[in-house]
Amino acid sequence: MENKRVCLVVEDNDDIRGLITVVLRRAGFEVRAVATGAEGIAAAADPAVSLVTLDLGLPDMDGHVVARAVRALSKAPLLFLTARSENDDVLAGMASGAAAYLTKPFHPKELKDLAVQLCPAPVPAAPASQVPHIPGKSLC
């Protein structure tokens, strides 16, 4: 069975959420997208989540609160995607647990490159028939 990277997208804007979803799917991620901080926190509890993109300006709660809650539930890297671009915003984002910070508007290639950097594709294991056998030696 294929070991897919799962990205949780927390973004309230339908168009931006759709764009992020398309970009990340093309980069090889399975995408789970939600529109509120509460939904994001609940979805982040799934251990399959390997990357979280998070908008700071959510309708139900501040993104930093969401980030801290997600960080308590998951070790998945947090990629902030937000219109907040002041230095203080970036520093606060990093203090909230962000692994990377991308400001809107962003170029889709920037998003793809950052996502792949934060969560590289798993290297498939070699089938047992391709593992070299050395008599008298264990590879474990």
Side-chain angles (χ1 to χ4, degrees):
M1 184 165 152
E2 189 178 337
N3 190 6
K4 266 208 151 182
R5 297 170 296 167
V6 177
C7 182
L8 171 62
V9 174
V10 185
E11 169 62 57
D12 63 312
N13 181 290
D14 292 338
D15 293 334
I16 296 172
R17 190 172 57 248
L19 172 63
I20 295 167
T21 298
V22 168
V23 169
L24 293 175
R25 281 191 179 142
R26 287 183 180 169
F29 288 87
E30 175 185 321
V31 178
R32 300 176 187 171
V34 298
T36 68
E39 291 173 316
I41 293 168
D46 183 345
V49 172
S50 52
L51 176 66
V52 178
T53 68
L54 176 61
D55 181 17
L56 293 179
L58 296 168
D60 61 334
M61 64 180 70
D62 182 75
H64 295 291
V65 172
V66 176
R68 286 189 291 274
V70 167
R71 181 53 51 235
L73 294 168
S74 173
K75 292 183 186 219
L78 287 170
L79 169 54
F80 282 17
L81 290 169
T82 182
R84 298 181 190 174
S85 61
E86 299 296 320
N87 283 339
D88 288 345
D89 295 320
V90 175
L91 291 173
M94 298 311 233
S96 295
Y101 197 101
L102 189 59
T103 56
K104 297 175 189 174
F106 58 87
H107 190 281
K109 183 175 178 352
E110 289 177 290
L111 171 59
K112 176 189 163 272
D113 291 348
L114 262 177
V116 169
Q117 179 184 351
L118 292 171
C119 188
V123 177
S129 62
Q130 293 180 357
V131 175
H133 175 69
I134 302 170
K137 297 282 183 178
S138 172
L139 299 176
C140 297

